[in-house]
Amino acid sequence: GRSVRAITQLPSIGQFLEARFSVPFILLPHHHLRHPLDARKTLTGTPLVTRACVDGCGSVRMALALRMSGTPPIYTLGFAGKSAEEFFGLLRRSGIKRVIDVRLNNVSQLAGFTKRQDIAFFLKELCGAEYVHEPMLAPTKEILDDYRKDRSWARYTERYLALMAGREVESHVSRALFEGQTALLCSEPTPDRCHRRLALEYLQSKWGGMEIVHL
């Protein structure tokens, strides 16, 4: 497709994105955008990857890789540390129309506005989005309890991925569930130690053709 040239060039990042993902890219100063996805208002394409990088002067810039085919990525987000305004505002700005909840327990009082009945209502009313709970992608209580005791992320990852393989989730979870603007929901504020990332990376390895963006 048509290339979009960088407004502010960082050749090493641009070359990496084009070589690794075979997509055009654009680099914008962070202060130009109230939110990375605001780029949609002025640019053609769907953001593939959003990353913060620091140039030689120490200013933060957003690197936006754009896929010109228009195929939306699969998003993930966690609710911990976010107010309701921040959480639902982020979903609206990202254009999310389906939220797939991969928590084992979605009725805990600690979940606040993301308890099952509440979040289904809020998503419909505030975002025009559908709520789906998919326990096939949740860890077992035993795996969660053991992780809370030993805090070994390596062991948790190994057991969770073995669980996904044993359940053959790639065959039992419909790929159609991920069509359109979809986000996986869990509680952890970042994806690095959250099974929402592991779930999508596992499905990506089985299905292929998936791009992942962590909000």
Side-chain angles (χ1 to χ4, degrees), residues 93-113:
R93 289 193 299 271
S94 305
I96 300 301
K97 293 304 176 184
R98 179 181 296 116
V99 171
I100 303 174
D101 189 344
V102 295
R103 293 174 293 171
L104 180 64
N105 181 8
N106 64 348
V107 294
S108 169
Q109 292 301 313
L110 298 176
F113 57 82

Side-chain angles (χ1 to χ4, degrees), residues 4-158:
V4 179
R5 295 196 177 277
I7 293 176
T8 304
Q9 298 202 5
L10 269 180
S12 59
I13 292 178
Q15 290 168 6
F16 168 78
L17 288 172
E18 291 190 345
R20 175 65 179 83
F21 299 107
S22 300
V23 294
F25 74 98
I26 186 164
L27 192 64
L28 295 174
H30 181 259
H31 65 269
H32 283 190
L33 302 177
R34 288 175 298 172
H35 184 274
L37 297 179
D38 283 351
R40 287 179 176 163
K41 296 177 181 177
T42 54
L43 300 172
T44 301
T46 301
L48 166 63
V49 182
T50 302
R51 290 290 184 268
C53 57
V54 181
D55 66 15
C57 299
S59 63
V60 178
R61 300 173 185 273
M62 283 293 177
L64 302 179
L66 304 178
R67 177 170 294 280
M68 304 308 290
S69 67
T71 302
I74 307 300
Y75 297 89
T76 84
L77 81 163
F79 64 83
K82 294 181 179 68
S83 67
E85 181 179 4
E86 292 169 332
F87 179 80
F88 292 107
L90 181 58
L91 290 172
R92 281 200 307 268
R93 289 193 299 271
S94 305
I96 300 301
K97 293 304 176 184
R98 179 181 296 116
V99 171
I100 303 174
D101 189 344
V102 295
R103 293 174 293 171
L104 180 64
N105 181 8
N106 64 348
V107 294
S108 169
Q109 292 301 313
L110 298 176
F113 57 82
T114 64
K115 292 194 296 292
R116 180 179 59 200
Q117 291 181 332
D118 290 339
I119 192 171
F121 172 79
F122 291 141
L123 285 172
K124 180 181 178 181
E125 294 298 316
L126 300 178
C127 306
E130 174 188 11
Y131 172 78
V132 178
H133 185 217
E134 184 46 82
M136 282 284 289
L137 297 177
T140 62
K141 185 177 185 299
E142 179 185 7
I143 291 177
L144 278 175
D145 288 345
D146 288 347
Y147 176 63
R148 287 168 182 149
K149 293 175 185 176
D150 63 29
R151 309 306 296 179
S152 172
W153 180 250
R155 183 166 181 257
Y156 179 93
T157 298
E158 181 181 2

Side-chain angles (χ1 to χ4, degrees), residues 159-170 202 206:
R159 295 177 70 188
Y160 178 81
L161 293 177
L163 179 68
M164 295 297 99
R167 289 176 176 172
E168 297 182 332
V169 296
E170 67 273 19
Y202 176 86
K206 298 299 182 180

Side-chain angles (χ1 to χ4, degrees), residues 172-193:
H172 296 291
V173 174
S174 172
R175 188 164 184 171
L177 194 62
F178 297 86
E179 293 178 355
Q181 295 291 106
T182 301
L184 256 65
L185 168 70
C186 198
S187 59
E188 293 296 324
T190 60
D192 51 329
R193 294 201 171 201

